[in-house]
Each structure stands twice: as structure tokens, then as C-alpha cells.
Amino acid sequence: MANTGGASPPRRGSSRRGRRAGQPYPSGGRASGRQTGPQADPVRTLAFQVLCAVSHDGAYANLELARQLGKAGFSERDAAFATELVAGTCRFQGSYDLVIERASGRALNKFQPAVIDLLRMTSHELLSMRIPAHAAIDTSVEIAAARIGRRVTGLVNAVSRRISERDFEQWLDLLAEGMDELGQLALRSHHPRWIVQAFAERLPEPELALALAADNSPPAVQLAVRPGLLDVRDLPEVEPARYSPYGAYAHRPPASYAAVRAGLAGVQDEGSQLMALALANADAPAGPWLDMCAGPGGKAALLRGLAGGNAETLLASELRPHRAELVRQNLAAYSDAGHGVIVADGTRPPWREASFAKVLLDAPCTGLGALRRRPESRWRRGPAALAELAPLQQRLLAAAVASTMPSGVIAYVTCSPHLRETWEAVESLGPDAVEILSAAEYLPNVPDAADGGFVQLWPHRHNTDAMFLALLRRR
Ligand SMILES: C[S@@+](CC[C@H](N)C(=O)[O-])C[C@H]1O[C@@H](n2cnc3c(N)ncnc32)[C@H](O)[C@@H]1O
């Protein structure tokens, strides 16, 4: 069987068992205006509504799911089932689309959009969750009748039955026929081909499949304490992070920690923590620090605590006002004597040139390094996003260098290993503006992190997001 996405959801054998007679439908789904048929299983109906919102409204699966679950009042078991349905369906969407096309003999664009969402979800139940075929198909037909329209029930029934005739491996074998090696890897790892290509350019061949597989397991939640305000050993029910002295794996939902509620700790991947730590560790002249693209402020909070120890101050700047507000909230536990938060476009900075001793540029990027976190994201953006982001990254990096005082240090960070967003961005500065520091030396306890003079973390190696770091000293 293919990987189901890491979570091990409760099995729900039958649509009848899952249905609660008379219970109102969870509200909020846009494909759900119609309730002409019998009431369908509320848990699967909610998952279907979330999938529709992700496909058609551009919603983030995690946020939309949390929003709808918050209103539904499901048991923990039902919530876990809905979560697996949504996350797994989103993660494997590209493979399921190929299965649906092959099983139906129709191109995907010949289907009504809500039918595609429903068939994707049914594919996940049948092929990855091993739900008995009769249960998965019956419920899908019920959802089709209740939420899309009776006229599509025959189609949903027929295509679902065709899908159930093979297991996932058999479908993948069939679909892989005639594909080249890269295409097969993309298919079997449930990634778009352009992303597999991008990873292949950055990794030794034996690691490629491991890196792709790591994207299919949701990460454990990690917390970071605010340096100077709380010691990580004072967090209850956590396991220390591997490399960051400020990080820990949470064993409970983050909001259940008093320290998180008090702003003394926040949710942050260890890779992100290490980026801020490396900059803090670098030698630089005395002077204020700048976080140029700070929202929502996880790294700014770490920098604020670490800069505070050196009696420096931090300016956190962010383009979007609502994200600047999140930065303020993330820094709220610290005295504002040591920091400021402003709304500004980093490509047209309001501060004077050469003002800062250390500058963090955590650039807007494709997020290819955090695919395990956002199940739908790999299918949402194509390579065209690079054409838009790479020039912006280069303009921001040039502005970051100009903002740094001579001998000051710039940390250029992306949550993407793509060459265009990493090496090529640094190369765009030319040879004269900066000296490339050996970034891995500033994270001495992190193994296998050096990537030329840069640092490249990987989920399969470090259990972090695939963060890239260049440390540059202004000449
Ligand atoms: C990768 S995120 C930063 C994450 C942040 N450093 C943290 O650790 O929480 C990139 C941020 O850059 C912001 N941004 C995009 N274009 C910008 C610009 N021209 N100037 C400043 N910020 C920008 C985005 O709104 C986004 O909040």
C-alpha cells in the first residue's frame, strides 16, 4: 500500500455507523448548499466541504479543517478521521487525478469540480485508507446526492466502482507504464514532476526518494521558547529538540501549554530556529539588527531574545500590516525598549543604508521545503511561481546587503531548496558585494548541513523543514 500520509486514522467501516440521524450538517462549505437527498455521513461531508474550499476558494487545508472542525463538535476519533481524509486526499491529489482519469476514461476537466473533489476523497478512502469499498462508495453516492445533485450519483457510483477494482499499487503500476524514471518517481512519491526535478538537482541520488517520502509524513509539532524569558527545561511534557537549545517537541496541543498562552514560547520548526541562531552566532560589529521580512515573527522572537542579551536592538519589518501585527504579538512578551515593528516594503526601505550590524532576510519563497506541513501546497503552485519570486528575492537580497554596515552579516534564508531561490539568488549579488561565510560553522552541532558554503537542511536528514541559509559578510 502507498503511504497514507503518516497519521493512522481510526477506521470507520461503514457509512451507516458514521451517520448520526437527525444531526444537522456542518455548515460553511460552498459546494454544500443543496440538501435534496438523504443526509450523508457528517464526518465525510465535512471533509468533502473542506476539500471544495481548498480547490475552489484557495483555502489552506489545515486552517479550513480546523475552522470547520471547531464548529462541528466531533469526537476526537471522528476529527482524526476527517483530518486524514483531508490531508491524505490533498497530499496524493495528483496521483488520484490520474487514477480518476484512467478509471473513467475522461479527462479531469470534463468533470464538474465538486465531483472531482468527491472522487479524490473516495480514491483516498479506497486506495490509501483501506475503507471497505461498499462503505466508501455508498457514502460518496450519498454525499453526491445531498451536496452536488442526484444527476451525478450514477457517475460517482460508476467511477468509484472502477477505482475500487485495483489497489493503489496496481493503479500506480498501470499508470507508470511508459513513464521515464523521473516521472515514475514523481508518480510513486506523489509529487509534481518539477519538484522532483528540483530536489534531484540538490540531493545525491540515493537520498532523493527519502526526501520525497519525508514530505508525505506530517511533522511533529515543535515549540521554541523565547530566549531570556524561559528555559526549554521548564516546559512540561516535551522532548528536547535535536539541535536547537531553545526548541522542543510538543507532546500536547500547543495551546494547552501555559507558556505558549503567555507568549513565552511559540510553535516553530527547528529548522527555522537554527536559521536565527546561526545569524545570532555570527561575529559582527556592534549595532542594531534588522529582520526584513518578519511576518509572522517566529524568527524575530528568537532574534529579539538573542539580541537582547547583547544589549542590541531589533527592528522587525514586514510588508503586510496584518502580518506585522502578528510580529508584534510574537514579540509582546519582551519589553519594547529592545525592538520596533514597522510596516515597510523591503525593496524600498525607509531606513538609511548601512544601518544594521546583522540583517535577516527570510525571503518570500515557494515553500518547497515545507511540503510536509501543507498537504495541498505541492499541487497549488507550478514552476511559474519561481519566475515571480526569484526577481523579488534578488531585489530584497540586494536591499538587505545595502542595509548592512561594512563587516556586518546578512542571513539569506528560504524555506526552499530550489536552486533559483538559493544559490542563484546569492550569485545574483556578484562577487564584489559580499564574502560568503561558511554557514555550517555557525551551526556546529548540526551534521550533514553544509552545502558548499551554505547550509541546506532536509526533513529526511534533520527532521526539519528544508531550510536554506547563506551567511554573507558585507565587504
Ligand atoms: C517566509 S515569510 C517570513 C517568515 C518569518 N521570518 C518568520 O519566521 O515568522 C516572508 C514574509 O515576507 C513578507 N514579504 C513579502 N514581500 C515583502 C517585501 N517586499 N518587503 C517586506 N516583506 C515582504 C511576506 O508578507 C511574509 O510575511
Side-chain angles (χ1 to χ4, degrees):
M1 281 307 283
N3 187 330
T4 60
S8 64
R11 296 278 294 279
R12 303 174 91 244
S14 128
S15 61
R16 302 274 156 211
R17 243 193 299 143
R19 185 190 301 171
R20 296 164 202 178
Q23 175 163 333
Y25 283 101
S27 56
R30 50 180 291 298
S32 61
R34 183 190 293 273
Q35 293 182 24
T36 52
Q39 291 201 353
D41 178 309
V43 179
R44 287 170 168 109
T45 300
L46 179 140
F48 166 66
Q49 290 177 165
V50 173
L51 291 170
C52 290
V54 171
S55 299
H56 312 303
D57 301 339
Y60 293 108
N62 297 348
L63 299 183
E64 181 63 17
L65 180 68
R67 191 183 73 78
Q68 295 210 28
L69 282 179
K71 291 194 291 182
F74 289 162
S75 68
E76 216 173 282
R77 185 183 161 84
D78 281 350
F81 184 81
T83 302
E84 172 56 26
L85 268 181
V86 169
T89 303
C90 287
R91 201 171 277 125
F92 296 170
Q93 175 188 311
S95 308
Y96 295 149
D97 287 352
L98 295 176
V99 170
I100 293 164
E101 286 189 326
R102 185 63 78 94
S104 65
R106 299 164 91 170
L108 214 61
N109 61 14
K110 302 285 177 213
F111 289 96
Q112 196 177 329
V115 172
I116 299 173
D117 291 317
L118 185 56
L119 288 173
R120 285 174 180 159
M121 186 174 88
T122 313
S123 300
H124 191 60
E125 290 186 68
L126 291 168
L127 303 180
S128 294
M129 294 176 77
R130 283 178 277 181
I131 305 285
H134 67 88
I137 295 170
D138 287 357
T139 341
S140 289
V141 172
E142 287 171 13
I143 293 174
R147 298 284 163 168
I148 308 173
R150 288 213 163 272
R151 80 207 128 66
V152 301
T153 54
L155 176 67
V156 167
N157 187 30
V159 178
S160 302
R161 279 184 197 289
R162 292 294 302 276
I163 293 169
S164 72
E165 286 167 8
R166 291 184 168 85
D167 70 22
F168 207 2
E169 277 311 317
Q170 289 169 335
W171 274 115
L172 294 177
D173 289 344
L174 186 72
L175 293 166
E177 280 170 17
M179 284 186 178
D180 65 8
E181 212 175 310
L182 201 76
Q184 293 202 24
L185 188 55
L187 175 74
R188 293 188 188 280
S189 67
H190 315 291
H191 282 72
R193 185 186 172 94
W194 74 278
I195 295 180
V196 179
Q197 178 76 57
F199 283 23
E201 286 169 11
R202 301 300 317 281
L203 277 168
E205 198 269 329
E207 281 188 59
L208 180 55
L210 295 175
L212 296 166
D215 281 344
N216 292 335
S217 295
V221 176
Q222 288 187 295
L223 304 178
V225 294
R226 305 297 184 229
L229 301 183
L230 186 72
D231 192 294
V232 77
R233 285 168 299 195
D234 295 330
L235 281 174
E237 290 186 64
V238 296
E239 182 190 325
R242 288 191 194 174
Y243 315 112
S244 164
Y246 302 104
Y249 290 95
H251 287 178
R252 305 190 324 228
S256 73
Y257 289 87
V260 171
R261 293 196 302 274
L264 301 176
V267 175
Q268 190 177 39
D269 178 68
E270 190 175 8
S272 288
Q273 298 175 37
L274 294 173
M275 302 297 103
L277 285 176
L279 178 60
N281 287 343
D283 305 321
W289 296 5
L290 170 69
D291 184 350
M292 215 169 139
C293 292
K299 294 183 194 71
L302 265 189
L303 287 177
R304 169 65 181 84
L306 297 168
N310 298 329
E312 302 293 3
T313 54
L314 173 75
L315 179 66
S317 177
E318 163 61 43
L319 180 66
R320 298 202 170 82
H322 72 279
R323 287 176 74 84
E325 186 48 42
L326 296 176
V327 180
R328 274 185 205 104
Q329 289 167 17
N330 266 313
L331 294 176
Y334 288 105
S335 137
D336 33 347
H339 67 262
V341 180
I342 60 168
V343 174
D345 181 344
T347 62
R348 290 180 294 150
W351 51 82
R352 277 207 201 97
E353 284 204 358
S355 298
F356 297 96
K358 294 189 181 184
V359 175
L360 171 65
L361 169 55
D362 186 14
C365 71
T366 55
L368 294 190
L371 297 180
R372 59 193 190 139
R373 225 167 261 298
R374 302 179 202 120
E376 76 285 359
S377 64
R378 70 188 72 174
W379 307 110
R380 186 164 270 176
R381 291 179 121 176
L386 287 167
E388 185 191 318
L389 285 164
L392 173 63
Q393 290 158 351
Q394 293 177 15
R395 286 205 308 280
L396 284 166
L397 183 53
V401 173
S403 303
T404 309
M405 56 181 67
S407 300
V409 176
I410 303 107
Y412 174 69
V413 172
T414 58
C415 185
S416 167
H418 198 290
L419 272 178
R420 282 197 72 186
E421 303 184 270
T422 56
W423 286 59
E424 289 182 22
V426 178
E427 278 164 13
S428 74
L429 290 172
D432 299 330
V434 293
E435 172 198 353
I436 297 176
L437 302 179
S438 178
E441 287 177 17
Y442 296 87
L443 296 172
N445 64 336
V446 185
D448 297 326
D451 178 35
F454 309 130
V455 158
Q456 180 64 62
L457 303 179
W458 290 98
H460 67 286
R461 280 192 205 166
H462 305 101
N463 201 22
T464 63
D465 291 343
M467 305 294 302
F468 171 86
L469 166 71
L471 279 180
L472 311 167
R473 190 180 299 286
R474 184 166 185 192
R475 292 194 198 276

